[in-house]
Amino acid sequence: MARELWDAYDREGNPLGFDLVRGEPVPEGVYHLVVEIFAVTADGRVLITQRHPDKAWGGRWEYTGGAVVKGETPVEGALRELREETGVIVSAQDLHPVYVDVWPEMNGMNSTIYHSFVVFFDPGEQVIHLQEGETADYELLPYEDFKRVLREDRFVDVVRVRFLDHQEAFDRIITEHFK
């Protein structure tokens, strides 16, 4: 199995010029990029996926996300992760940036810079395909139902925290889209 490589960054998101290897220790003060993609259907339902039981937080629900691999931009990583984990294909112009959030190392998780996007898609034009070993199930929830489910124990804790920290931005983007 090929090793997954990440570009190393400082806290401000500047490249440091060396690689990180998934699963290996990350030096103190070094960050990697992760994208989160909040996919919303044309009729206002949020796509959430259930993590594969063999993964960390197995069986918990989240919206799409993953590490940006070596040589990718956050936009490229977001497009790839959404396609790989859900089968949903969109273009870079379809991504609406929500926030960039810097999380230092804690509880065994690497220091990470999260880039979050909202994307709107037509489920009549897309077929949702789950990625074997990554996603086990999916649901499409009306936005208000999503916000209720998000608060339940079945949702990944750290994803919940980041959403709630930036809920105003999500609310604004979704409200503006459906005006």
Side-chain angles (χ1 to χ4, degrees):
M1 183 176 200
R3 301 181 318 164
E4 183 176 313
L5 297 179
W6 303 331
D7 290 313
Y9 294 88
D10 68 15
R11 182 178 175 79
E12 286 74 42
N14 299 307
L16 296 174
F18 62 91
D19 297 341
L20 303 172
V21 179
R22 180 182 208 115
E24 292 186 5
V26 174
E28 187 173 334
V30 175
Y31 291 75
H32 79 288
L33 303 182
V34 169
V35 291
E36 293 180 319
I37 309 92
F38 193 79
V40 182
T41 64
D43 62 354
R45 294 176 292 155
V46 178
L47 173 62
I48 61 172
T49 55
Q50 186 179 38
R51 293 177 65 84
H52 189 276
D54 296 338
K55 293 184 61 76
W57 298 293
R60 297 272 179 111
W61 292 83
E62 64 185 349
Y63 41 89
T64 305
V68 175
V69 297
K70 180 177 177 53
E72 278 185 330
T73 66
V75 167
E76 292 166 339
L79 296 173
R80 177 186 49 78
E81 286 289 343
L82 186 63
R83 184 186 70 251
E84 287 177 355
E85 292 188 6
T86 70
V88 174
I89 299 171
V90 298
S91 67
Q93 302 87 276
D94 297 324
L95 295 174
H96 303 271
V98 182
Y99 64 82
V100 175
D101 211 351
V102 179
W103 282 44
E105 186 279 326
M106 65 177 125
N107 300 329
M109 293 179 58
N110 293 324
S111 299
T112 305
I113 301 173
Y114 290 92
H115 288 256
S116 177
F117 302 92
V118 170
V119 66
F120 298 94
F121 73 100
D122 184 345
E125 296 177 3
Q126 304 270 352
V127 177
I128 296 175
H129 295 285
L130 300 176
Q131 184 180 15
E132 190 173 325
E134 288 285 330
T135 49
D137 199 1
Y138 77 92
E139 289 186 32
L140 293 168
L141 300 174
Y143 187 52
E144 293 306 315
D145 291 350
F146 162 79
K147 291 193 285 188
R148 181 184 44 76
V149 168
L150 173 88
R151 296 177 185 277
E152 296 174 4
D153 190 41
R154 63 184 180 134
F155 218 85
V156 175
D157 297 339
V158 293
V159 175
R160 174 189 308 118
V161 168
R162 282 190 298 278
F163 178 86
L164 293 173
D165 284 351
H166 301 280
Q167 184 176 337
E168 283 184 22
F170 284 101
D171 288 348
R172 183 178 59 256
I173 291 169
I174 289 169
T175 299
E176 287 175 8
H177 181 79
F178 289 107
K179 277 185 179 176

